[in-house]
């Protein structure tokens, strides 16, 4: 084991002990210590879910990337494994960037990642070089392949950009290995390249899967490519986006491309929409569970919101709640994984609550819950103008979800959550017109809120850093409406 990896393992072992359990979310995975960004290597290996993550153990800011590692049997309870990789080779000395994992034919676990190093070119400019590398292991310890890097600039097709070339997502099909990887052309257009291999080590360029054509941002990071309910899906995270109505916003976004793959393996995109309409979600990755479900997890953070943090927190960055995904009416539908039900504590249910003005309901409060609120007009359509839920409320700090039934807009807002930074604190999303009816399912964990609207048709995620003692919840209507509320407290056994 390299000195760098050993040092990181020793450091995180000591540091982890200094973090009390209640300083972390109840279910959302945080780094063992320090910083995390993208989920990596989300896979099933020997009957367990493995989730690696972009990791800088030594501070709560981005640094030279390691791969942190955790395993789970049910996606709800994660157990840390020792840091899997450190940037300890010349070709990855600037960091082991994002990648994925797959089981090899001989039962080992292959990690495929982007090795980044900095080199001074002949013109005197120091540039970042990104190549694809592999490491193989037993689920705990990994050895980098002596033949690394396995894909370099030399393997790029004509017209590809030499510098932005990263985030390989690997899968196995008909006994062969395939990889989708992000690239940016010299004229700043994102594209996804596909490579193929017989053994996971020796790769050849296959084709350009798809090009952005200068539509959605510039570089396309962290691709994932899979079949879902009879269609072919590409997920990617574009950088430097421009806004489009309420569908896409400025900065780093997420994009779901729904399309088809023809018999020759050519992909054509048909529908394009955001994956998550909230503030904090990026770089999602999926896994095919053994029972056939496609499960997605993302970084519940965004590069543009990293300044939203608390100095007293010993970690930075958390993963989203794992979501089962499907297609319905040309949209990606997301639901919290059903395993959540095994962690329900007490339940409070109220039906046909008539709401006008603001109210609290007995027994409905807390910061860790799975709560579904169904709202409908009382009497005639147009009986109310705004419906709102206030949560993480202590009288002074609070966050809100607001629904405007005339415009069909849901807004999430954490402006009053205690943040002292001028960052994005609100976001709006256009939802289906159901004549004033809406279903809002909130997953609250200690430091986050994920909102699943109308059975997962739209999802809005945001980090909420208000102290956990702020546990008030209230409902508000201008006008009159009826609502049903079902709240399950979330608990650890
Ligand atoms: C996306 C990303 C990836 C890269 C990694 C570096 O969030 O920028 O493209 O591999 O983070 O940490």
């Amino acid at each position: 084991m390299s000195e760098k990896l050993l040092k990181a393992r020793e450091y995180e072992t000591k540091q982890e002990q200094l973090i009390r359990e209640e300083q972390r979310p109840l279910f959302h995975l945080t780094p063992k210590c320090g910083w995390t960004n993208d989920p990596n290597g989300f896979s099933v290996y020997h009957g367990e879910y493995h989730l690696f993550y972009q990791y800088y153990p030594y501070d709560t800011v981005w640094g030279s990337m390691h791969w942190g590692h955790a395993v789970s049997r049910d996606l709800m309870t994660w157990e840390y494994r020792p840091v899997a990789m450190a940037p300890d080779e010349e070709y990855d000395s600037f960091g082991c960037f994002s990648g994925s994992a797959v089981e090899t034919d001989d039962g080992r676990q292959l990690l495929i990642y982007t090795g980044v190093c900095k080199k001074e070119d002949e013109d005197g400019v120091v540039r970042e070089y990104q190549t694809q590398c592999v490491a193989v292991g037993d689920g705990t310890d990994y050895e980098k392949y002596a033949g690394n890097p396995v894909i370099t600039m030399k393997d790029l097709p004509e017209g590809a950009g030499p510098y932005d070339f990263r985030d390989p997502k690997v899968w196995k099909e008909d006994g062969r290995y395939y990889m989708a990887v992000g690239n940016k052309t010299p004229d700043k257009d994102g594209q996804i390249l596909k490579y193929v291999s017989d053994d996971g080590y020796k790769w050849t360029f296959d084709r350009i899967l798809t090009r952005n054509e200068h539509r959605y941002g510039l570089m396309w990071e962290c691709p994932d490519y899979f079949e879902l309910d009879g269609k072919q899906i590409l997920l990617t995270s574009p950088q430097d986006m421009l806004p489009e109505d309420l569908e896409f916003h400025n900065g780093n976004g997420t994009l779901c491309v729904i399309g088809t793959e023809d018999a020759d393996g050519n992909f054509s995109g048909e529908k394009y929409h955001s994956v998550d309409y909230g503030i904090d979600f990026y770089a999602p990755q999926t896994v095919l569970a053994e029972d056939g479900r496609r499960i997605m997890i993302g970084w519940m953070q965004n590069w543009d919101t990293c300044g939203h943090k608390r100095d007293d927190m010993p970690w930075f960055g958390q993963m989203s709640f794992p979501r089962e995904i499907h297609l319905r009416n040309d949209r990606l539908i997301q639901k919290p994984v059903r395993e959540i039900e095994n962690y329900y504590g007490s339940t409070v249910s109220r039906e046909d609550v008539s709401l006008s003005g603001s109210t609290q309901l007995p027994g409905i409060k807390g910061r860790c819950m799975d709560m579904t609120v169904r709202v409908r007009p009382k009497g005639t359509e147009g009986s109310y103008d705004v419906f709102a839920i206030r949560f993480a409320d202590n009288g002074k700090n609070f966050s809100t979800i607001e629904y405007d039934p005339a415009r069909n807009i849901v807004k999430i807002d954490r402006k009053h959550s205690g943040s002292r930074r001028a960052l994005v604190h609100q976001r709006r999303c256009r939802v289906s017109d159901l004549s004033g009816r809406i279903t809002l399912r909130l997953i609250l964990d200690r430091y986050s809120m994920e909102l699943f609207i109308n059975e997962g048709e739209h999802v809005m995620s945001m980090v909420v850093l208000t102290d956990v003692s702020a546990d008030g919840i209230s409902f508000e209507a201008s006008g009159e409406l009826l609502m049903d509320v079902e709240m399950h407290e979330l608990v650890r056994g």
Side-chain angles (χ1 to χ4, degrees):
M1 188 181 308
S2 74
E3 247 174 61
K4 261 200 179 158
L5 185 60
L6 188 64
K7 180 176 154 216
R9 284 189 171 191
E10 287 174 356
Y11 182 81
E12 63 169 13
T13 306
K14 278 201 222 109
Q15 212 60 22
E16 187 199 359
Q17 288 164 12
L18 305 176
I19 305 180
R20 283 172 287 114
E21 225 178 87
E22 59 280 9
Q23 289 179 293
R24 298 183 189 270
L26 205 52
F27 295 101
H28 291 74
L29 184 70
T30 46
K32 199 166 183 174
C33 58
W35 159 283
T36 189
N37 51 287
D38 315 351
N40 291 160
F42 192 23
S43 54
V44 175
Y45 179 66
H46 293 180
E48 285 184 312
Y49 293 102
H50 282 247
L51 184 59
F52 301 82
Y53 50 88
Q54 287 287 280
Y55 182 35
Y56 184 61
Y58 302 109
D59 202 347
T60 51
V61 295
W62 191 90
S64 79
M65 282 291 111
H66 296 56
W67 271 38
H69 188 190
V71 296
S72 176
R73 288 196 176 277
D74 68 355
L75 299 157
M76 297 288 298
T77 302
W78 293 95
E79 196 181 291
Y80 291 112
R81 290 264 161 101
V83 46
M85 290 195 284
D88 49 16
E89 294 288 344
E90 202 192 318
Y91 53 82
D92 62 17
S93 51
F94 188 68
C96 302
F97 277 22
S98 283
S100 50
V102 72
E103 184 169 338
T104 58
D105 298 334
D106 63 357
R108 297 200 295 164
Q109 195 177 31
L110 195 72
L111 311 182
I112 305 208
Y113 69 102
T114 301
V116 184
C117 63
K118 285 199 165 184
K119 272 192 232 153
E120 186 175 324
D121 287 339
E122 276 167 15
D123 58 6
V125 177
V126 177
R127 293 197 176 84
E128 248 184 55
Y129 283 88
Q130 307 191 335
T131 55
Q132 314 321 318
C133 304
V134 300
V136 68
D138 59 2
T140 302
D141 296 307
Y142 300 85
E143 206 173 308
K144 289 180 186 166
Y145 176 49
N148 275 343
V150 295
I151 304 179
T152 69
M153 250 158 96
K154 291 203 286 301
D155 307 298
L156 285 167
E158 217 188 300
Y163 305 116
D164 289 281
F165 178 38
R166 59 181 176 271
D167 311 334
K169 172 70 198 241
V170 66
W171 71 96
K172 246 162 117 179
E173 207 176 296
D174 303 329
R176 300 186 90 189
Y177 298 79
Y178 296 90
M179 169 200 296
V181 50
N183 178 253
K184 187 167 77 181
T185 63
D187 70 339
K188 298 195 168 76
D189 199 25
Q191 59 178 357
I192 305 299
L193 309 180
K194 187 175 173 193
Y195 288 81
V196 57
S197 167
D198 286 324
D199 58 5
Y201 295 90
K202 192 174 178 321
W203 292 86
T204 45
F205 173 71
D206 179 56
R207 75 191 69 212
I208 296 173
L209 257 185
T210 187
R211 283 207 182 91
N212 182 14
E213 316 284 3
H214 300 285
R215 291 167 298 173
Y216 306 101
L218 305 180
M219 169 68 182
W220 279 7
E221 298 191 309
C222 302
D224 198 345
Y225 186 68
F226 51 89
E227 208 232 280
L228 186 70
D229 297 333
K231 299 295 278 186
Q232 193 65 32
I233 307 293
L234 171 73
L235 300 180
T236 185
S237 297
Q239 292 181 311
D240 306 295
M241 292 191 87
L242 291 171
E244 248 180 58
D245 184 43
L246 299 182
E247 188 59 43
F248 299 106
H249 51 77
N250 312 64
N252 289 278
T254 48
L255 178 68
C256 171
V257 187
I258 303 172
T260 40
E261 197 186 83
D262 68 17
D264 297 327
N266 295 312
F267 176 70
S268 39
E270 292 154 7
K271 294 274 187 274
Y272 298 78
H273 67 77
S274 272
V275 179
D276 191 298
Y277 294 81
I279 304 172
D280 299 299
F281 192 80
Y282 197 65
Q285 215 176 62
T286 70
V287 65
L288 188 62
E290 283 178 335
D291 58 14
R293 286 179 296 165
R294 178 65 64 171
I295 296 165
M296 178 177 80
I297 204 162
W299 180 37
M300 198 162 40
Q301 194 67 54
N302 190 296
W303 290 109
D304 298 309
T305 58
C306 289
H308 178 240
K309 63 197 302 187
R310 263 172 60 164
D311 293 344
D312 58 345
M313 278 196 171
W315 50 267
F316 184 86
Q318 54 183 313
M319 295 303 152
S320 74
F321 200 85
R323 305 165 182 184
E324 297 178 20
I325 55 173
H326 278 289
L327 284 187
R328 196 172 68 220
N329 302 335
D330 288 330
R331 289 197 62 83
L332 192 74
I333 303 297
Q334 306 171 46
K335 288 197 178 147
V337 291
R338 60 195 71 164
E339 285 83 347
I340 194 170
E341 292 166 20
N342 301 331
Y343 293 84
Y344 284 170
S346 62
T347 292
V348 179
S349 274
R350 294 286 304 272
E351 278 177 20
D352 297 321
V353 179
S354 175
L355 182 69
S356 165
S358 170
T359 193
Q360 290 175 1
L361 296 176
I364 299 202
K365 61 175 195 157
R367 284 289 286 275
C368 297
M369 66 174 66
D370 177 355
M371 176 167 75
T372 299
V373 183
R374 291 177 203 281
V375 167
R376 56 193 177 278
K378 189 170 179 185
T380 50
E381 198 184 323
S383 72
Y384 71 98
D385 297 325
V386 183
F387 169 69
I389 305 175
R390 247 188 205 229
F391 63 97
D393 189 355
N394 60 9
K396 185 166 163 241
N397 299 123
F398 57 89
S399 292
T400 55
I401 296 162
E402 249 180 51
Y403 174 51
D404 173 341
R407 294 164 70 216
N408 292 304
I409 288 178
V410 171
K411 182 170 120 187
I412 56 172
D413 188 345
R414 62 177 179 198
K415 194 169 69 184
H416 296 287
S417 64
S419 164
R420 292 179 190 276
R421 298 270 71 82
L423 290 157
V424 181
H425 289 319
Q426 303 173 329
R427 191 142 276 157
R428 291 176 303 151
C429 167
R430 197 177 301 285
V431 300
S432 297
D433 182 352
L434 300 174
S435 311
R437 292 177 165 258
I438 192 162
T439 304
L440 303 170
R441 181 172 177 189
L442 279 75
I443 304 294
L444 287 186
D445 198 342
R446 288 184 181 127
Y447 298 110
S448 63
M449 189 283 296
E450 284 156 287
L451 177 64
F452 296 80
I453 303 165
N454 292 334
E455 318 296 336
E457 228 171 55
H458 292 89
V459 185
M460 303 179 83
S461 306
M462 70 174 174
V463 166
V464 176
L465 297 178
T466 315
D467 210 77
V468 269
S469 59
D471 63 356
I473 292 184
S474 55
F475 305 90
E476 202 179 309
S478 90
E480 259 198 317
L481 55 80
L482 288 172
M483 66 173 185
D484 304 331
V485 183
E486 183 168 314
M487 185 209 103
H488 303 282
E489 178 198 14
L490 293 176
V491 291
R492 287 223 161 272

